Structures are given as structure tokens and as C-alpha cells.
Amino acid sequence: MILYHGSNVVVESPVLLTPKRTLDFGTGYYTTTNKNQAISFAHKVMLRNDSQTKSVSMYEIDFVNMENTLEVLKFNEPNGEWLDFVFSNRQGIYSGKQYDVIIGAVADDTIYRVFSLYEAGLLDREETLKRLKVKKLYDQVTFCTEKALTYLHYIGQLNTDIEEGAQ
């Protein structure tokens, strides 16, 4: 399986960094199976960091071996369990079990608006989930431990300029 990581720098050797903001699955190294999502995120990181470069690093992973060896939490859909998990991580209050790898839908910018309404108490849980299910949600695969990072094998950098022109 190929995974992508969008950034403003090439990342051959991923490391766990403390995020500057609260993220969907907490602290970790975020990747995706969706090339276009990684390109979009690289562009956002470039702008956020006032950089002139964007990069998408590519990794190969033995997914079956990883699932058999590590503690993996997988959300197959944006259900109530996923909503509670992402919400508590974004609030910085998650205190449950720690996993090596977490897989599930990414709460992108449009999803974040729905989350904001939920956080403000303007949407209840049922309405929030209903609104999330009509969105095209991409996946994220988050590596949360040093042990998990050893399963990522860098295979190169995606040329984002060619890929963006091909869309």
C-alpha cells in the first residue's frame, strides 16, 4: 500500500512532533492513501508556513503485517465512535487508550465547519453525523508511536506540479 504525506518539506525519515494545534487523531504523523488530498494539504502547509515549496512524500507500507503487530484503531465510517474520538482530540481532552496507528476519515475544512456547529451546541450528535455522511470523506492513516513509524518505508517524492496540472 502507498501512503502520502503533504508538507512544505520532503520527509524521508518521519518523526513525531508535538502539533501546534489539536488534530483529529491527536499527536502523530499523518498520511493518506489519497494522492490529491496530500497535494492539497501540502499547498495549505506551504501557505500556512509562508513557504515557497510544497512536497508530497511517498511511503510504502506492509499493511497486513502492521495490523497484525501494532495496536491499530480503525474507523470504517464517520460514525458516533469516530465523532466522539475526533471531537475529544480536537478539544485536547482525549484520555483513552493509546494506539500505534489510527485510521479513519479526515475532518477537512468543510467538515470542520460542521464540527464547529457541533462544538457550539448548534447541532446535536445525530444531525452532525447525518451532515458528515453526505460529505466525500478522505482517509487518514496516523502513526502515533515511534514503533509505528518504523513501518513506513520512504519511496520518493511526488512531483506536485505535474500532478496538479493533470487534474
Side-chain angles (χ1 to χ4, degrees), residues 61-77:
I61 186 165
D62 180 348
F63 195 75
V64 173
N65 185 35
M66 182 188 76
E67 276 195 312
N68 290 333
T69 311
L70 300 176
E71 290 286 331
V72 177
L73 174 61
K74 186 173 184 179
F75 296 102
N76 293 318
E77 63 178 337

Side-chain angles (χ1 to χ4, degrees), residues 96-158:
K97 181 176 179 174
Q98 297 302 305
Y99 295 91
D100 295 306
V101 178
I102 304 168
I103 303 165
V106 61
D108 65 11
D109 292 342
T110 60
I111 302 307
Y112 189 72
R113 283 184 224 120
V114 175
F115 262 83
S116 295
L117 294 172
Y118 180 64
E119 286 175 321
L122 299 172
L123 294 179
D124 64 16
R125 184 176 176 176
E126 184 179 315
E127 180 63 23
T128 300
L129 287 170
K130 187 168 83 174
R131 289 184 184 203
L132 292 175
K133 288 182 188 226
V134 300
K135 301 286 186 186
K136 169 71 172 139
L137 299 178
Y138 295 114
D139 72 332
Q140 57 191 355
V141 181
T142 305
F143 294 80
C144 305
T145 63
E146 294 294 335
K147 181 180 178 182
L149 289 176
T150 65
Y151 285 77
L152 282 174
H153 303 288
Y154 179 78
I155 58 171
Q157 178 184 359
L158 186 67

Side-chain angles (χ1 to χ4, degrees), residues 27-72:
T27 298
Y29 187 74
Y30 284 71
T31 65
T32 181
T33 59
N34 186 289
K35 187 185 329 181
N36 291 331
Q37 177 184 326
I39 292 168
S40 174
F41 192 74
H43 186 75
K44 289 175 187 173
V45 171
M46 179 184 74
L47 296 174
R48 184 182 314 134
N49 293 332
D50 197 26
S51 173
Q52 299 298 312
T53 60
K54 59 186 168 191
S55 176
V56 174
S57 300
M58 298 183 298
Y59 308 92
E60 192 167 45
I61 186 165
D62 180 348
F63 195 75
V64 173
N65 185 35
M66 182 188 76
E67 276 195 312
N68 290 333
T69 311
L70 300 176
E71 290 286 331
V72 177

